Amino acid sequence: VADVYAAVAGEAPDGLPTFDDGYRAAAVTDAVLRSRADGAWVDVARRPEATTTSRQALAFGPAVTAP
């Protein structure tokens, strides 16, 4: 819990998952489901470049928008 409070305060605690970590987990899960449905290997989607860093977004910085 202390790490979450530190992140909200603008710090970057080690080990606290980021939005990038969540995106990668969702992309891998999506690829697994597509692979199972298609019965074939599929590529894992890459994250589009954002206009701010995940740490800025976590610290309630500017909204993250995809190009």
Side-chain angles (χ1 to χ4, degrees):
V1 175
D3 285 345
V4 173
Y5 286 127
V8 170
E11 298 174 28
D14 289 334
L16 189 65
T18 65
F19 289 109
D20 289 333
D21 296 329
Y23 182 88
R24 281 192 298 274
V28 168
T29 300
D30 180 64
V32 167
L33 294 173
R34 286 186 293 124
S35 176
R36 173 68 175 118
D38 297 344
W41 289 94
V42 297
D43 291 330
V44 176
R46 291 190 174 267
R47 181 181 175 277
E49 292 300 318
T51 57
T52 75
T53 67
S54 295
R55 293 282 183 210
Q56 288 172 323
L58 184 60
F60 304 107
V64 176
T65 57

